[in-house]
Amino acid sequence: MSDFDLAAYLAERRALVDAALERVLPAEDTPPATVHRAMRYSVLAGGKRLRPILVIAGAEAVGGAPCEVLPAACALELIHTYSLIHDDLPAMDDDDYRRGRLTSHKVFGEAMAILAGDGLLTLAFKLVADNAALARDPRVLRDVVTALADAAGTFGMVGGQVVDIESEGKTITPETLEYIHLHKTAALIRAAMRVGALLGGGGPAAVEAIGDAGRDLGLAFQIVDDILDVEGSLEELGKTAGSDARKQKATYPALHGVPASRREAQRLVAGVKARLAPLGAPAAPLGALADYVLERKN
Ligand code: GRG
């Protein structure tokens, strides 16, 4: 058993990320103020900060330091929060609660919620560009931008969301469900770990191994999310539970049942740890985060 103190690690890294997010977001009274208020409302509402912490842990796994990757870590959280704001819109999942508070469009209206999401996505790429000096080599910066764009765009998260929307109310195959989960969720988690490894100075083999581990961890994360939607509550989740079944969404539990879904998530996380093993002690935080993904309650 590892004696790694995950609770302390998460608290320290979360504090670093929260302070950095506070700094990089335009102030509430910076014109045009409404959109900046909306951007801050959603980003600073909390959340687990899993993706930025995975950027940091990805860098640490190859000997990098958190301060070198904080702008990229913030970029991941901004892209993630944009996707949540847009996913909650009436045209998509039409959800009222997120991160324990009313969704952006409920507070600021649909137009402003769309624009806040657009603003966050754009700001993410500006953050990476403004901190180009943190990349040890211009090719690393190019790879980071490509990883983010691929994960966020039509070959990643947007693509997964398209197929998810087109599948609502239909019977889909396990292969289509895996496509949705890999693109909608796992692509960004893979990018988080890969970007961390790239900026942390990892060589090609380490970057590849960490990226592959990120993909499998992302898939496990979404399977656990599907299970929590069946078993969790609004208080635990900070969003309405049972929404997948109400919207007739294809999920792992719907297709395979809860016990088999849990076994699949466990199998994936064991594989993640096996991929990380050759990296040794510096990858201990990533290994502990993999266990956290499996055991989380929100
Ligand atoms: C709208 C382009 C676009 C994409 C939407 C990512 C996504 C695709 C939608 C968000 C809703 C959703 C169910 C996504 C699956 C990934 C997921 C479970 C997100 C929630 O992530 P957490 O649990 O949230 O890490 P916090 O609030 O803790 O950051």
Side-chain angles (χ1 to χ4, degrees), residues 46-51 77 80-88 92-93 95 98-99 152 157-161 164 183-186 188-189 221-222 225-226 237 239 244 249 292 296 298:
K48 295 179 285 297
R49 309 300 192 213
L50 176 67
R51 292 149 194 83
E77 186 64 18
H80 168 57
T81 308
Y82 128 75
S83 81
L84 299 180
I85 295 174
H86 281 197
D87 186 66
D88 289 335
M92 298 220 199
D93 264 7
D95 277 312
R98 171 70 68 181
R99 293 181 162 171
M157 201 168 63
V158 170
Q161 181 79 341
D164 190 19
H183 289 77
K184 193 171 111 168
T185 309
L188 201 60
I189 290 180
F221 177 89
Q222 185 58 57
D225 205 71
D226 287 356
L237 301 178
K239 61 180 182 179
D244 291 340
K249 285 217 175 202
Y292 163 77
R296 72 195 178 96
N298 67 18

Side-chain angles (χ1 to χ4, degrees), residues 35 38-39 42 77-96 98-99 103-106 109-122 152 157-158 161 164-165 168 184 247 249:
V35 74
M39 287 160 69
S42 292
E77 186 64 18
L78 299 183
I79 296 172
H80 168 57
T81 308
Y82 128 75
S83 81
L84 299 180
I85 295 174
H86 281 197
D87 186 66
D88 289 335
L89 286 166
M92 298 220 199
D93 264 7
D94 195 10
D95 277 312
D96 292 350
R98 171 70 68 181
R99 293 181 162 171
T103 42
S104 181
H105 64 272
K106 286 273 158 194
E110 277 181 56
M112 212 47 69
I114 292 169
L115 292 167
D118 295 340
L120 291 173
L121 177 62
T122 314
M157 201 168 63
V158 170
Q161 181 79 341
D164 190 19
I165 288 172
E168 266 178 50
K184 193 171 111 168
K247 289 168 195 150
K249 285 217 175 202

Side-chain angles (χ1 to χ4, degrees), residues 10-199:
L10 286 177
E12 282 166 21
R13 300 302 180 272
R14 210 175 268 151
L16 278 179
V17 169
D18 284 343
L21 286 168
E22 174 67 47
R23 282 195 303 274
V24 302
L25 283 162
E28 295 222 335
D29 56 359
T30 301
T34 317
V35 74
H36 292 146
R37 265 212 328 278
M39 287 160 69
R40 294 179 73 89
Y41 173 85
S42 292
V43 175
L44 303 179
K48 295 179 285 297
R49 309 300 192 213
L50 176 67
R51 292 149 194 83
I53 294 175
L54 286 173
V55 175
I56 295 173
E60 291 173 320
V62 295
C67 60
E68 294 172 312
V69 297
L70 262 184
C74 289
L76 261 297
E77 186 64 18
L78 299 183
I79 296 172
H80 168 57
T81 308
Y82 128 75
S83 81
L84 299 180
I85 295 174
H86 281 197
D87 186 66
D88 289 335
L89 286 166
M92 298 220 199
D93 264 7
D94 195 10
D95 277 312
D96 292 350
Y97 290 96
R98 171 70 68 181
R99 293 181 162 171
R101 38 165 89 173
L102 284 170
T103 42
S104 181
H105 64 272
K106 286 273 158 194
V107 177
F108 297 96
E110 277 181 56
M112 212 47 69
I114 292 169
L115 292 167
D118 295 340
L120 291 173
L121 177 62
T122 314
L123 180 58
F125 284 91
K126 177 174 159 58
L127 269 185
V128 173
D130 282 352
N131 292 280
L134 292 176
R136 298 161 198 220
D137 175 324
R139 281 169 300 186
V140 168
L141 184 72
R142 180 203 61 199
D143 290 349
V144 166
V145 173
T146 302
L148 291 178
D150 283 346
T154 50
F155 299 110
M157 201 168 63
V158 170
Q161 181 79 341
V162 169
V163 179
D164 190 19
I165 288 172
E166 289 178 342
S167 302
E168 266 178 50
K170 292 187 190 150
T171 307
I172 62 167
T173 62
E175 290 73 30
T176 303
L177 180 62
E178 189 176 86
Y179 177 95
I180 293 171
H181 282 11
L182 278 174
H183 289 77
K184 193 171 111 168
T185 309
L188 201 60
I189 290 180
R190 171 177 182 265
M193 286 170 53
R194 228 174 144 258
V195 161
L198 279 164
L199 289 170

